[in-house]
């Protein structure tokens, strides 16, 4: 392992600030009020405030990575008579379908292909044709390709048709402004190690209280029971049901302070957007082509087609970039040969400039 702390140009875990790392140098007691009332409850309030001004929402924290909370929501929220429509255009949409299958949740998958945004009219036709559908789930930023799905349009569709709306905003919450109440989102899922810029260890759900209240006793799992976790936090002043990731939680509290110091979500969004635009322009200048149309890009992560040169190997390109202090991400798109570069985390324009220079250096193949 290198002792140099390279920059992670990945969708999380990502490069965190020194302040976030240093916040972990303290051992908390999981039943002490300094931790529960002082830190956990404050985080829950701040998360709701980032998501909406409306008083109708609450936040639940859950141990594990982001997928644990997605599974917790699907398994707790969707009743035995309900049916879930999953909008799928990437690995994370497909993962929700797999969870539904494993938990025996009635569901239907609306496949869009990996490089297309959902056709809202076609989606509406599916809703009209299947009256059993009670819930819709969609990924906001599909990290597989970097596509930003049309949240407002699909939210409007869910609201017009009276469907409960679940959003995996894992890689966008905190980095893209949104208001869950204005959009009519009932459950929004994200995690500690994405745009809030904390370290891995837990995920969280911003839930419409009125909807969460209906979910007692529905969970298909003990440890992923979102309702039971919520009740415990509500009734016992921020207490988690099982051992909580205390150091991660302290790091997250610091990450929230730093988000505020940066100027909040709007300011962070501007930084990410500037990073992403410079990245794409610079990579184009070096001869790389993004996988998606520019109009579909999120400001989070970008997929690029792999060079067609016969001597190109991702592993060698990756090694050469890592040697220069940058870690990029392999492609996850099944139909095209790609690699991905993330631009979230403690990453600034000057880092993108240095990365572009490093990419220029790492292009060892014949063109
Ligand atoms: C990161 C991510 C997840 C969760 O992945 P984990 O590896 O479980 O943290 C889910 N959905 C999206 C869109 C993501 O970017």
């Amino acid at each position: 392992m290198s002792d140099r702390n390279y920059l992670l140009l990945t969708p999380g875990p990502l490069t965190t600030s020194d302040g976030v790392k240093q916040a972990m140098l303290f051992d908390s007691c999981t039943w002490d009020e300094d931790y529960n009332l002082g830190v956990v409850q404050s985080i829950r309030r701040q998360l709701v405030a980032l998501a909406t001004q409306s008083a109708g929402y609450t936040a639940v924290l859950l141990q594990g990575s982001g997928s644990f909370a997605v599974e917790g929501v699907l398994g707790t929220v969707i009743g035995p008579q309900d049916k879930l429509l999953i909008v799928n255009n990437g690995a994370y949409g497909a993962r929700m379908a797999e969870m539904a299958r494993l938990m025996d949740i009635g569901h239907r998958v609306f496949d869009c292909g990996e490089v297309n945004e959902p056709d809202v009219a076609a989606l509406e036709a599916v809703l009209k044709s299947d009256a059993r559908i009670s819930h819709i789930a969609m990924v906001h930023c599909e990290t597989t390709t970097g596509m930003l799905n049309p949240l407002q349009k699909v939210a409007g569709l869910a609201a017009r048709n009276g469907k409960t709306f679940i959003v995996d905003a894992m890689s966008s919450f905190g980095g893209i402004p949104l208001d869950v109440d204005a959009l009519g989102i009932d459950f929004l899922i994200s995690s500690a190690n994405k745009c809030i810029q904390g370290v891995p260890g837990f995920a969280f759900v911003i839930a419409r209280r009125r909807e969460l209240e209906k979910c007692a006793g529905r969970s298909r799992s003990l440890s992923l029971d979102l309702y039971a976790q919520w009740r415990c936090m509500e009734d016992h002043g921020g207490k988690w049901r099982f051992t909580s990731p205390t150091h991660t939680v302290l790091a997250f509290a610091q990450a929230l302070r730093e988000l505020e110091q940066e100027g909040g979500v709007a300011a962070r969004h501007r930084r990410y957007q500037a990073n992403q635009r410079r990245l794409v322009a610079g990579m184009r200048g070096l001869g790389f082509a993004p996988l998606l149309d520019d109009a579909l890009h999120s400001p989070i992560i970008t997929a690029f087609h792999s060079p067609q040169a016969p001597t190109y190997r991702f592993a060698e390109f990756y090694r050469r970039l890592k040697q220069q202090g940058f870690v990029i991400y392999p492609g996850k798109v099944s139909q095209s040969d790609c690699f991905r570069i993330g631009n979230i985390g403690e990453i600034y324009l000057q880092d993108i400039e240095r990365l572009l220079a490093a990419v220029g250096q790492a292009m060892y193949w014949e063109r």
Side-chain angles (χ1 to χ4, degrees), residues 11 65-68 70 92 95 139 141 143 168 170-171 191 194:
S65 81
S67 301
F68 289 59
V70 177
Y92 295 100
R95 189 175 295 175
V139 175
C141 170
T143 321
D168 169 351
M170 207 69 68
S171 62
S191 75
K194 304 250 168 146

Side-chain angles (χ1 to χ4, degrees), residues 3 69 75 78 105 155 365:
D3 55 0
I78 298 154
I105 291 171
W365 54 91

